[in-house]
């Protein structure tokens, strides 16, 4: 039996899933990506893959040494209150490896190409149909339908057409919109040598707004964002795409923060302002009466399963943990003879296997969706009492971390 698997979405999670399936013996895997190529849109900024998160998948795929060449271990993570440059929380060495999302995606594309897994660009999946035999037909915008898939893994992100068809739940605006910028070393070398900046990550809570910055050591630039609580679309309506106006506005906002943040914004040329980010998520997935959130031979993975706002650093880690979980539940179903794999899985067995996978994803991913929301709310609070207790909690955690070490 020629078991055919389609992966919808060629982001890091979908690419990693294709490699994971090949490692355990699924030899007929195709990735469909809606973009025409990697330049079609921004690739995001950076994420940390952690030992209790996404890093074990990289190790399982046998890619750790290569991955180390495009990533680094941050020297520290710090949390601040906007009014004071003394850290409330300081973790001297982050437990994981930091990587720019674009580098990670290109790295995985290179491995996929090297291993000759088909990656079909410019294939925008708009839905699916389940055939009478349980197999699946994928439907594409301005492309022919592709029938007879034994399994479909939807890793097509926040705007997943597959999730929309199966569940139909709304995409939710978080209330946060962020200005983002990228500072190059030549624009202000002194900032790069600041002890709070060098190879570090920081989160600074203000009133109704939060600043984040990260010295991306491999490319040697500083990505930063300042996010505000505003109605959806309000910043676009007021400032459009005029980056000079963006800079003037963010310089005014940065006065709420201590001088280092003001200097970071001031030193960034308006041409290096990146984009306005409106943060969205979806409610945690609920399992249906049969213990699933997928349908038949179709399942969800990564942001398609648990899109979350970036205030816990859990999105990328959850996506890679999904891949590892899926890899582990499918591996026992592969038969090997003389080092040749054979995959023969009935629709009934596949559904039971995906039920095991989905129960874990719903529990883990759903919890992180809610925690990420709550962290975002805490760090954008305008309530003086809540800010006081938030800061005290961070200080207690900091003392406990120092005591434990």
């Amino acid at each position: 039996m020629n078991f055919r698997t389609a992966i919808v979405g060629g982001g890091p999670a979908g690419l990693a899933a294709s490699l994971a399936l090949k490692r355990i013996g699924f030899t007929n895997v195709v990735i469909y990506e809606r973009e025409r190529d990697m330049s079609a849109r921004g690739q995001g900024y950076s994420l940390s893959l952690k030992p209790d998160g996404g890093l074990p998948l990289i190790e399982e795929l046998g890619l750790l040494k290569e991955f180390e060449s495009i990533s680094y271990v941050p020297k520290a993570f710090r949390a601040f209150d906007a009014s004071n440059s003394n850290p409330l929380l300081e973790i001297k060495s982050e437990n994981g490896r930091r990587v720019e999302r674009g580098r990670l995606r290109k790295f995985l594309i290179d491995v996929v190409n090297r291993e000759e897994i088909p990656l079909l660009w410019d294939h925008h999946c708009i839905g699916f149909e389940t055939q009478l035999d349980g197999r699946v037909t994928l439907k594409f915008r301005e492309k022919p339908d592709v029938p007879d898939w034994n399994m479909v893994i939807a890793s097509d992100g926040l705007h997943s057409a597959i999730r929309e068809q199966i569940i139909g739940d709304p995409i939710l605006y978080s209330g946060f919109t962020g200005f983002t910028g990228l500072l190059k070393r030549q624009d202000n070398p002194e900032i790069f040598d600041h002890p709070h900046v060098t190879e570090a990550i920081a989160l600074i809570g203000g009133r109704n707004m939060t600043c984040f910055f990260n010295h991306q050591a491999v490319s040697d630039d500083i990505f930063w964002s300042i996010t505000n609580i505003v109605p959806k679309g309000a910043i676009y309506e007021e400032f459009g795409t005029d980056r000079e106006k963006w800079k003037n506005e963010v310089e005014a906002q940065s006065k709420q923060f201590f001088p280092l943040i003001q200097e970071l914004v001031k030193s960034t040329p308006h041409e290096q302002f990146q984009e306005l980010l409106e943060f969205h998520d979806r409610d945690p997935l609920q399992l249906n009466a049969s213990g699933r959130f997928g349908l038949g031979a179709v399942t969800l993975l990564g942001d398609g399963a648990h899109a979350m706002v970036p205030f816990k650093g859990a999105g990328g880690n959850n996506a890679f943990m999904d891949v590892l979980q899926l890899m582990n539940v499918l591996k026992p179903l592969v038969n090997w003879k003389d080092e040749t794999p054979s995959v023969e899985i009935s629709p009934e067995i596949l559904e039971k296997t995906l039920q095991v996978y989905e129960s874990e994803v719903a529990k883990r991913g759903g919890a992180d969706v809610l925690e990420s929301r709550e962290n975002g709310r805490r760090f954008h609070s305008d309530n003086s009492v809540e800010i006081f207790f938030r800061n005290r909690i961070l200080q207690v955690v900091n003392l406990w971390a120092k005591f434990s070490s």
Side-chain angles (χ1 to χ4, degrees):
M1 180 180 178
N2 188 17
F3 192 94
R4 303 175 70 230
T5 302
I7 297 174
V8 179
L15 296 164
S18 75
L19 295 168
L21 291 175
K22 184 171 183 181
R23 294 290 188 277
I24 61 174
F26 285 71
T27 57
N28 193 344
V29 179
V30 177
I31 309 165
Y32 291 102
E33 170 52 47
R34 64 174 168 248
E35 297 169 2
R36 65 180 182 276
D37 55 41
M38 267 195 68
S39 67
R41 65 174 177 86
Q43 299 300 312
Y45 297 98
S46 62
L47 72 159
S48 291
L49 294 182
K50 301 184 178 183
D52 59 350
L55 206 53
L57 175 66
I58 298 293
E59 296 182 86
E60 186 70 23
L61 296 178
L63 299 174
L64 182 59
K65 193 163 288 292
E66 290 180 81
F67 177 70
E68 287 175 348
S69 70
I70 64 164
S71 62
Y72 69 102
V73 177
K75 289 183 176 177
F77 169 81
R78 299 181 180 91
F80 302 84
D81 181 76
S83 63
N84 194 319
S85 61
N86 293 320
L88 299 168
L89 173 65
E90 183 171 33
I91 301 172
K92 282 294 187 182
S93 179
E94 191 180 62
N95 194 17
R97 298 196 68 88
R98 193 84 180 172
V99 63
E100 294 163 55
R101 289 177 183 270
R103 286 181 189 273
L104 176 61
R105 190 182 188 199
K106 184 180 184 305
F107 165 66
L108 292 171
I109 287 172
D110 289 345
V111 179
V112 162
N113 290 337
R114 184 173 75 204
E115 302 199 7
E116 299 181 338
I117 299 172
L119 169 57
L120 304 183
W121 297 90
D122 197 24
H123 279 71
H124 189 159
C125 181
I126 57 174
F128 69 94
E129 286 184 358
T130 300
Q131 301 166 196
L132 292 177
D133 61 1
R135 290 185 292 179
V136 176
T137 296
L138 285 178
K139 296 181 168 295
F140 297 93
R141 180 177 296 168
E142 300 177 355
K143 302 280 184 184
D145 296 352
V146 183
D148 299 334
W149 296 104
N150 298 96
M151 180 169 62
V152 172
I153 301 168
S155 181
D156 47 346
L158 171 70
H159 298 278
S160 171
I162 303 291
R163 176 164 175 162
E164 175 64 27
Q165 181 174 337
I166 296 174
I167 301 170
D169 58 329
I171 295 171
L172 305 173
Y173 174 55
S174 66
F176 312 130
T177 297
F179 292 95
T180 61
L182 202 64
L183 181 65
K184 304 290 186 180
R185 181 175 286 274
Q186 65 265 24
D187 294 318
N188 190 330
E190 291 78 12
I191 284 185
F192 284 77
D193 297 326
H194 192 287
H196 286 347
V197 173
T198 305
E199 296 183 24
I201 305 166
L203 184 65
I204 305 99
R207 287 184 176 273
N208 283 339
M209 66 177 65
T210 290
C211 177
F212 168 87
F213 69 80
N214 168 215
H215 176 209
Q216 301 176 145
V218 176
S219 56
D220 196 26
D221 50 33
I222 301 170
F223 168 76
W224 59 262
S225 66
I226 290 183
T227 55
N228 304 260
I229 297 180
V230 292
K232 182 176 174 61
I235 291 181
Y236 282 103
E237 290 176 11
E238 185 171 356
F239 301 106
T241 59
D242 187 328
R243 281 165 167 72
E244 289 190 70
K245 289 183 178 179
W246 291 6
K247 177 164 183 174
N248 291 337
E249 173 63 16
V250 180
E251 282 192 8
Q253 292 180 6
S254 71
K255 292 177 181 177
Q256 182 183 138
F257 297 92
F258 50 83
L260 173 64
I261 307 306
Q262 297 175 36
E263 186 65 22
L264 181 62
V265 171
K266 184 178 179 181
S267 300
T268 304
H270 72 267
E271 297 88 353
Q272 287 297 120
F273 276 61
Q274 300 296 294
E275 57 185 322
L276 288 177
L277 294 178
E278 289 187 339
F279 295 111
H280 299 80
D281 67 7
R282 289 187 190 255
D283 282 332
L285 285 168
Q286 303 298 317
L287 300 178
N288 59 28
S290 60
R292 294 199 57 197
F293 54 69
L295 181 65
V298 182
T299 192
L300 307 174
L301 182 148
D303 283 352
H306 39 60
M308 60 190 73
V309 293
F311 295 106
K312 190 173 183 280
N317 283 283
N318 264 282
F320 276 24
M321 291 167 77
D322 292 351
V323 174
L324 189 58
Q325 169 73 1
L326 188 62
M327 185 182 185
N328 288 336
V329 299
L330 290 172
K331 188 175 181 178
L333 305 182
V334 181
N335 298 310
W336 290 83
K337 185 176 181 181
D338 299 328
E339 299 186 357
T340 300
S342 172
V343 182
E344 298 183 18
I345 309 172
S346 69
E348 295 77 19
I349 294 297
L350 180 62
E351 281 217 49
K352 289 180 180 178
T353 303
L354 293 178
Q355 179 185 22
V356 175
Y357 159 75
E358 290 174 3
S359 64
E360 163 65 20
V361 169
K363 180 180 178 181
R364 168 176 39 79
D368 279 339
V369 167
L370 297 177
E371 286 184 33
S372 298
R373 281 183 188 172
E374 182 60 17
N375 283 350
R377 189 193 64 76
R378 285 194 192 106
F379 271 86
H380 292 82
S381 179
D382 192 34
N383 184 296
S384 298
V385 174
E386 184 170 41
I387 290 171
F388 173 83
F389 281 106
R390 177 197 72 196
N391 293 349
R392 297 295 83 74
I393 289 169
L394 288 171
Q395 288 173 327
V396 169
V397 171
N398 192 45
L399 287 171
W400 176 250
K402 289 180 178 178
F403 175 78
S404 300
S405 64

